[in-house]
Short mmCIF file of all heavy atoms in Angstrom, two decimals:
data_model
loop_
_atom_site.label_atom_id
_atom_site.label_comp_id
_atom_site.label_asym_id
_atom_site.label_seq_id
_atom_site.Cartn_x
_atom_site.Cartn_y
_atom_site.Cartn_z
N GLU A 1 3.90 13.29 14.09
CA GLU A 1 3.47 13.82 15.38
C GLU A 1 2.05 13.50 15.60
O GLU A 1 1.21 13.52 14.68
CB GLU A 1 3.70 15.32 15.37
CG GLU A 1 5.17 15.71 15.23
CD GLU A 1 5.47 17.06 15.83
OE1 GLU A 1 4.59 17.65 16.47
OE2 GLU A 1 6.56 17.49 15.67
N TYR A 2 1.72 13.20 16.86
CA TYR A 2 0.36 12.83 17.18
C TYR A 2 0.07 13.15 18.63
O TYR A 2 0.97 13.43 19.41
CB TYR A 2 0.12 11.33 16.92
CG TYR A 2 0.91 10.43 17.82
CD1 TYR A 2 0.31 9.90 18.96
CD2 TYR A 2 2.26 10.16 17.56
CE1 TYR A 2 1.03 9.08 19.83
CE2 TYR A 2 2.97 9.34 18.41
CZ TYR A 2 2.37 8.82 19.52
OH TYR A 2 3.07 8.00 20.35
N THR A 3 -1.21 13.10 18.98
CA THR A 3 -1.62 13.25 20.36
C THR A 3 -2.19 11.97 20.83
O THR A 3 -2.63 11.12 20.05
CB THR A 3 -2.69 14.38 20.49
OG1 THR A 3 -3.85 13.91 19.81
CG2 THR A 3 -2.22 15.67 19.94
N THR A 4 -2.20 11.73 22.15
CA THR A 4 -2.74 10.49 22.66
C THR A 4 -4.24 10.39 22.48
O THR A 4 -4.78 9.29 22.48
CB THR A 4 -2.38 10.31 24.16
OG1 THR A 4 -2.88 11.46 24.87
CG2 THR A 4 -0.91 10.15 24.38
N GLU A 5 -4.91 11.49 22.23
CA GLU A 5 -6.35 11.46 21.99
C GLU A 5 -6.69 10.95 20.61
O GLU A 5 -7.79 10.50 20.36
CB GLU A 5 -6.99 12.85 22.18
CG GLU A 5 -6.96 13.38 23.59
CD GLU A 5 -5.66 14.07 23.96
OE1 GLU A 5 -5.05 14.70 23.06
OE2 GLU A 5 -5.26 13.96 25.10
N ASP A 6 -5.76 11.08 19.64
CA ASP A 6 -6.06 10.73 18.28
C ASP A 6 -4.96 9.88 17.65
O ASP A 6 -4.13 10.39 16.91
CB ASP A 6 -6.31 11.97 17.44
CG ASP A 6 -6.78 11.65 16.03
OD1 ASP A 6 -7.25 10.50 15.80
OD2 ASP A 6 -6.67 12.51 15.15
N ASN A 7 -4.97 8.60 17.98
CA ASN A 7 -3.94 7.70 17.41
C ASN A 7 -4.32 7.25 16.03
O ASN A 7 -3.55 6.62 15.35
CB ASN A 7 -3.77 6.47 18.30
CG ASN A 7 -2.96 6.81 19.54
OD1 ASN A 7 -2.19 7.75 19.54
ND2 ASN A 7 -3.12 6.07 20.62
N SER A 8 -5.56 7.55 15.58
CA SER A 8 -5.99 7.09 14.26
C SER A 8 -5.13 7.68 13.18
O SER A 8 -4.90 7.06 12.13
CB SER A 8 -7.46 7.43 14.01
OG SER A 8 -7.65 8.86 14.03
N PHE A 9 -4.54 8.87 13.39
CA PHE A 9 -3.66 9.45 12.42
C PHE A 9 -2.43 8.57 12.19
O PHE A 9 -2.04 8.34 11.04
CB PHE A 9 -3.19 10.86 12.90
CG PHE A 9 -2.18 11.55 11.97
CD1 PHE A 9 -2.59 12.02 10.75
CD2 PHE A 9 -0.85 11.62 12.36
CE1 PHE A 9 -1.68 12.62 9.90
CE2 PHE A 9 0.05 12.21 11.52
CZ PHE A 9 -0.35 12.72 10.27
N ILE A 10 -1.88 8.05 13.24
CA ILE A 10 -0.72 7.17 13.12
C ILE A 10 -1.12 5.91 12.34
O ILE A 10 -0.40 5.49 11.45
CB ILE A 10 -0.20 6.75 14.52
CG1 ILE A 10 0.45 7.93 15.17
CG2 ILE A 10 0.78 5.61 14.44
CD1 ILE A 10 0.86 7.69 16.61
N TYR A 11 -2.22 5.29 12.72
CA TYR A 11 -2.66 4.08 12.05
C TYR A 11 -2.90 4.34 10.56
O TYR A 11 -2.52 3.52 9.73
CB TYR A 11 -3.90 3.50 12.69
CG TYR A 11 -3.74 3.15 14.13
CD1 TYR A 11 -4.70 3.51 15.07
CD2 TYR A 11 -2.62 2.46 14.61
CE1 TYR A 11 -4.52 3.20 16.43
CE2 TYR A 11 -2.45 2.16 15.95
CZ TYR A 11 -3.41 2.52 16.86
OH TYR A 11 -3.26 2.22 18.18
N ASP A 12 -3.55 5.45 10.26
CA ASP A 12 -3.78 5.84 8.84
C ASP A 12 -2.45 5.93 8.09
O ASP A 12 -2.33 5.38 6.99
CB ASP A 12 -4.52 7.14 8.73
CG ASP A 12 -5.98 7.04 9.12
OD1 ASP A 12 -6.50 5.89 9.14
OD2 ASP A 12 -6.60 8.06 9.42
N GLU A 13 -1.50 6.60 8.67
CA GLU A 13 -0.18 6.82 8.02
C GLU A 13 0.55 5.50 7.87
O GLU A 13 1.13 5.24 6.79
CB GLU A 13 0.66 7.79 8.82
CG GLU A 13 0.22 9.22 8.69
CD GLU A 13 0.21 9.72 7.27
OE1 GLU A 13 1.20 9.56 6.55
OE2 GLU A 13 -0.83 10.28 6.84
N ILE A 14 0.53 4.67 8.85
CA ILE A 14 1.22 3.37 8.80
C ILE A 14 0.55 2.49 7.71
O ILE A 14 1.25 1.86 6.91
CB ILE A 14 1.20 2.64 10.17
CG1 ILE A 14 2.14 3.40 11.11
CG2 ILE A 14 1.59 1.18 10.04
CD1 ILE A 14 2.11 2.89 12.56
N LEU A 15 -0.79 2.46 7.68
CA LEU A 15 -1.47 1.67 6.62
C LEU A 15 -1.21 2.24 5.25
O LEU A 15 -1.08 1.46 4.29
CB LEU A 15 -2.94 1.53 6.94
CG LEU A 15 -3.26 0.50 8.03
CD1 LEU A 15 -4.75 0.52 8.37
CD2 LEU A 15 -2.88 -0.88 7.59
N LYS A 16 -1.14 3.54 5.13
CA LYS A 16 -0.83 4.14 3.81
C LYS A 16 0.52 3.69 3.32
O LYS A 16 0.73 3.32 2.17
CB LYS A 16 -0.89 5.66 3.87
CG LYS A 16 -2.26 6.24 3.81
CD LYS A 16 -2.21 7.75 3.89
CE LYS A 16 -3.56 8.33 4.13
NZ LYS A 16 -3.53 9.77 4.33
N LEU A 17 1.49 3.69 4.25
CA LEU A 17 2.83 3.26 3.88
C LEU A 17 2.83 1.77 3.55
O LEU A 17 3.50 1.33 2.60
CB LEU A 17 3.83 3.52 5.03
CG LEU A 17 4.10 4.98 5.30
CD1 LEU A 17 4.91 5.17 6.59
CD2 LEU A 17 4.84 5.63 4.16
N GLY A 18 2.06 0.98 4.26
CA GLY A 18 1.93 -0.46 3.95
C GLY A 18 1.29 -0.67 2.58
O GLY A 18 1.76 -1.52 1.80
N LEU A 19 0.22 0.08 2.29
CA LEU A 19 -0.41 -0.01 0.99
C LEU A 19 0.49 0.44 -0.14
O LEU A 19 0.52 -0.13 -1.23
CB LEU A 19 -1.72 0.77 0.96
CG LEU A 19 -2.89 0.20 1.78
CD1 LEU A 19 -4.03 1.18 1.84
CD2 LEU A 19 -3.33 -1.12 1.18
N ASN A 20 1.30 1.49 0.11
CA ASN A 20 2.30 1.90 -0.85
C ASN A 20 3.30 0.79 -1.19
O ASN A 20 3.73 0.63 -2.30
CB ASN A 20 3.05 3.16 -0.39
CG ASN A 20 2.17 4.39 -0.40
OD1 ASN A 20 1.11 4.42 -1.02
ND2 ASN A 20 2.59 5.42 0.30
N SER A 21 3.67 0.03 -0.14
CA SER A 21 4.63 -1.07 -0.40
C SER A 21 3.97 -2.18 -1.22
O SER A 21 4.65 -2.77 -2.05
CB SER A 21 5.17 -1.63 0.94
OG SER A 21 4.20 -2.42 1.59
N ILE A 22 2.68 -2.39 -1.06
CA ILE A 22 1.97 -3.34 -1.92
C ILE A 22 1.93 -2.84 -3.34
O ILE A 22 2.21 -3.62 -4.28
CB ILE A 22 0.52 -3.60 -1.39
CG1 ILE A 22 0.56 -4.40 -0.11
CG2 ILE A 22 -0.33 -4.29 -2.45
CD1 ILE A 22 -0.80 -4.66 0.48
N GLN A 23 1.60 -1.62 -3.52
CA GLN A 23 1.56 -0.99 -4.88
C GLN A 23 2.89 -1.11 -5.55
O GLN A 23 2.98 -1.47 -6.73
CB GLN A 23 1.09 0.46 -4.81
CG GLN A 23 0.89 1.10 -6.20
CD GLN A 23 -0.26 0.49 -6.93
OE1 GLN A 23 -1.40 0.54 -6.46
NE2 GLN A 23 -0.03 -0.08 -8.09
N GLU A 24 3.94 -0.85 -4.80
CA GLU A 24 5.30 -0.93 -5.33
C GLU A 24 5.64 -2.37 -5.78
O GLU A 24 6.17 -2.61 -6.85
CB GLU A 24 6.29 -0.44 -4.33
CG GLU A 24 7.76 -0.44 -4.80
CD GLU A 24 8.73 0.01 -3.78
OE1 GLU A 24 8.33 0.70 -2.83
OE2 GLU A 24 9.88 -0.39 -3.87
N LYS A 25 5.29 -3.31 -4.95
CA LYS A 25 5.53 -4.71 -5.26
C LYS A 25 4.76 -5.12 -6.49
O LYS A 25 5.31 -5.85 -7.39
CB LYS A 25 5.13 -5.59 -4.07
CG LYS A 25 5.49 -7.03 -4.18
CD LYS A 25 6.92 -7.22 -3.84
CE LYS A 25 7.21 -8.71 -3.61
NZ LYS A 25 8.62 -8.96 -3.49
N ILE A 26 3.52 -4.70 -6.62
CA ILE A 26 2.73 -4.99 -7.81
C ILE A 26 3.36 -4.38 -9.05
O ILE A 26 3.54 -5.04 -10.06
CB ILE A 26 1.26 -4.52 -7.64
CG1 ILE A 26 0.55 -5.42 -6.63
CG2 ILE A 26 0.53 -4.52 -8.99
CD1 ILE A 26 -0.83 -4.90 -6.24
N ASP A 27 3.76 -3.10 -8.94
CA ASP A 27 4.31 -2.37 -10.07
C ASP A 27 5.69 -2.87 -10.49
O ASP A 27 6.04 -2.82 -11.66
CB ASP A 27 4.40 -0.88 -9.76
CG ASP A 27 3.03 -0.23 -9.64
OD1 ASP A 27 2.04 -0.81 -10.13
OD2 ASP A 27 2.95 0.85 -9.05
N THR A 28 6.51 -3.29 -9.52
CA THR A 28 7.89 -3.68 -9.84
C THR A 28 8.10 -5.19 -10.04
O THR A 28 9.07 -5.61 -10.62
CB THR A 28 8.87 -3.18 -8.75
OG1 THR A 28 8.52 -3.83 -7.51
CG2 THR A 28 8.84 -1.70 -8.63
N PHE A 29 7.13 -6.01 -9.60
CA PHE A 29 7.33 -7.43 -9.72
C PHE A 29 6.18 -8.11 -10.46
O PHE A 29 6.37 -8.80 -11.46
CB PHE A 29 7.50 -8.10 -8.36
CG PHE A 29 7.70 -9.57 -8.44
CD1 PHE A 29 8.87 -10.14 -8.84
CD2 PHE A 29 6.63 -10.43 -8.08
CE1 PHE A 29 9.02 -11.52 -8.95
CE2 PHE A 29 6.78 -11.84 -8.18
CZ PHE A 29 7.98 -12.36 -8.62
N TYR A 30 4.96 -7.96 -9.96
CA TYR A 30 3.84 -8.72 -10.52
C TYR A 30 3.41 -8.32 -11.92
O TYR A 30 3.15 -9.18 -12.76
CB TYR A 30 2.66 -8.69 -9.56
CG TYR A 30 2.87 -9.51 -8.30
CD1 TYR A 30 3.21 -8.90 -7.11
CD2 TYR A 30 2.80 -10.90 -8.36
CE1 TYR A 30 3.47 -9.68 -5.97
CE2 TYR A 30 2.99 -11.65 -7.22
CZ TYR A 30 3.37 -11.05 -6.04
OH TYR A 30 3.60 -11.82 -4.93
N ILE A 31 3.37 -7.03 -12.21
CA ILE A 31 2.99 -6.57 -13.56
C ILE A 31 4.15 -6.89 -14.54
O ILE A 31 3.90 -7.48 -15.62
CB ILE A 31 2.57 -5.12 -13.57
CG1 ILE A 31 1.23 -4.96 -12.82
CG2 ILE A 31 2.44 -4.61 -15.03
CD1 ILE A 31 0.75 -3.49 -12.69
N PRO A 32 5.40 -6.47 -14.27
CA PRO A 32 6.45 -6.73 -15.23
C PRO A 32 6.68 -8.22 -15.51
O PRO A 32 7.06 -8.57 -16.64
CB PRO A 32 7.73 -6.16 -14.56
CG PRO A 32 7.22 -5.17 -13.59
CD PRO A 32 5.90 -5.66 -13.17
N ASN A 33 6.47 -9.07 -14.54
CA ASN A 33 6.62 -10.53 -14.76
C ASN A 33 5.34 -11.18 -15.21
O ASN A 33 5.24 -12.43 -15.19
CB ASN A 33 7.12 -11.17 -13.48
CG ASN A 33 8.56 -10.73 -13.16
OD1 ASN A 33 9.38 -10.77 -14.03
ND2 ASN A 33 8.82 -10.35 -11.90
N GLU A 34 4.34 -10.40 -15.56
CA GLU A 34 3.05 -10.83 -16.13
C GLU A 34 2.35 -11.85 -15.23
O GLU A 34 1.67 -12.76 -15.66
CB GLU A 34 3.29 -11.41 -17.51
CG GLU A 34 3.80 -10.39 -18.50
CD GLU A 34 4.04 -10.96 -19.87
OE1 GLU A 34 3.80 -12.18 -20.11
OE2 GLU A 34 4.47 -10.16 -20.75
N ARG A 35 2.49 -11.58 -13.90
CA ARG A 35 1.74 -12.39 -12.93
C ARG A 35 0.32 -11.87 -12.78
O ARG A 35 -0.58 -12.61 -12.44
CB ARG A 35 2.43 -12.38 -11.57
CG ARG A 35 3.87 -12.89 -11.60
CD ARG A 35 3.91 -14.35 -11.25
NE ARG A 35 5.24 -14.89 -11.40
CZ ARG A 35 5.99 -15.26 -10.36
NH1 ARG A 35 5.53 -15.16 -9.16
NH2 ARG A 35 7.17 -15.76 -10.60
N VAL A 36 0.17 -10.51 -12.99
CA VAL A 36 -1.13 -9.93 -12.98
C VAL A 36 -1.21 -8.88 -14.09
O VAL A 36 -0.20 -8.31 -14.48
CB VAL A 36 -1.53 -9.21 -11.63
CG1 VAL A 36 -1.59 -10.23 -10.52
CG2 VAL A 36 -0.54 -8.11 -11.30
N THR A 37 -2.43 -8.61 -14.56
CA THR A 37 -2.61 -7.56 -15.54
C THR A 37 -2.79 -6.20 -14.80
O THR A 37 -2.97 -6.22 -13.57
CB THR A 37 -3.89 -7.83 -16.39
OG1 THR A 37 -5.01 -7.75 -15.51
CG2 THR A 37 -3.82 -9.18 -17.07
N LYS A 38 -2.80 -5.12 -15.54
CA LYS A 38 -3.02 -3.84 -14.92
C LYS A 38 -4.40 -3.74 -14.31
O LYS A 38 -4.61 -3.17 -13.24
CB LYS A 38 -2.79 -2.70 -15.90
CG LYS A 38 -1.31 -2.52 -16.26
CD LYS A 38 -1.07 -1.30 -17.08
CE LYS A 38 0.46 -1.27 -17.32
NZ LYS A 38 0.89 0.02 -17.80
N ASP A 39 -5.41 -4.34 -14.98
CA ASP A 39 -6.77 -4.36 -14.42
C ASP A 39 -6.81 -5.16 -13.15
O ASP A 39 -7.45 -4.75 -12.16
CB ASP A 39 -7.77 -4.93 -15.46
CG ASP A 39 -8.00 -4.00 -16.64
OD1 ASP A 39 -7.77 -2.77 -16.48
OD2 ASP A 39 -8.45 -4.50 -17.69
N ASP A 40 -6.15 -6.31 -13.13
CA ASP A 40 -6.13 -7.14 -11.92
C ASP A 40 -5.38 -6.41 -10.82
O ASP A 40 -5.71 -6.51 -9.65
CB ASP A 40 -5.43 -8.48 -12.22
CG ASP A 40 -6.37 -9.45 -12.94
OD1 ASP A 40 -7.57 -9.19 -12.98
OD2 ASP A 40 -5.83 -10.45 -13.48
N ALA A 41 -4.33 -5.65 -11.16
CA ALA A 41 -3.57 -4.91 -10.15
C ALA A 41 -4.48 -3.85 -9.49
O ALA A 41 -4.43 -3.72 -8.28
CB ALA A 41 -2.37 -4.20 -10.82
N GLU A 42 -5.31 -3.18 -10.25
CA GLU A 42 -6.28 -2.25 -9.66
C GLU A 42 -7.27 -2.94 -8.74
O GLU A 42 -7.57 -2.47 -7.65
CB GLU A 42 -7.02 -1.49 -10.76
CG GLU A 42 -6.17 -0.45 -11.46
CD GLU A 42 -6.98 0.29 -12.54
OE1 GLU A 42 -8.17 0.53 -12.33
OE2 GLU A 42 -6.35 0.62 -13.57
N LEU A 43 -7.73 -4.09 -9.20
CA LEU A 43 -8.66 -4.89 -8.38
C LEU A 43 -8.00 -5.32 -7.07
O LEU A 43 -8.59 -5.22 -5.97
CB LEU A 43 -9.09 -6.14 -9.19
CG LEU A 43 -10.02 -7.11 -8.54
CD1 LEU A 43 -11.39 -6.47 -8.26
CD2 LEU A 43 -10.20 -8.35 -9.44
N LEU A 44 -6.76 -5.78 -7.14
CA LEU A 44 -6.04 -6.18 -5.94
C LEU A 44 -5.86 -4.99 -4.98
O LEU A 44 -6.07 -5.11 -3.78
CB LEU A 44 -4.66 -6.78 -6.31
CG LEU A 44 -4.71 -8.10 -7.03
CD1 LEU A 44 -3.33 -8.49 -7.52
CD2 LEU A 44 -5.28 -9.18 -6.14
#
């Protein structure tokens, strides 16, 4: 839920969900397949 005066809440939530999808991809693909280390994952 949002108001037209404050759309930043929506953008924050959408970007959080987008960042969560990146974290999931790193955790489920890149780290297990040794494409990145855990330190590199934090850096990314």
Side-chain angles (χ1 to χ4, degrees):
E1 296 207 5
Y2 67 97
T3 65
T4 55
E5 292 84 33
D6 186 18
N7 285 335
S8 62
F9 176 73
I10 290 174
Y11 301 134
D12 287 341
E13 287 301 310
I14 289 172
L15 281 174
K16 280 181 193 173
L17 293 171
L19 288 172
N20 288 343
S21 75
I22 288 177
Q23 184 68 60
E24 181 182 338
K25 188 80 166 172
I26 289 172
D27 292 342
T28 62
F29 179 75
Y30 287 102
I31 292 175
N33 291 313
E34 298 179 359
R35 302 266 175 111
V36 297
T37 65
K38 289 187 180 195
D39 289 339
D40 284 343
E42 286 181 35
L43 179 65
L44 292 172

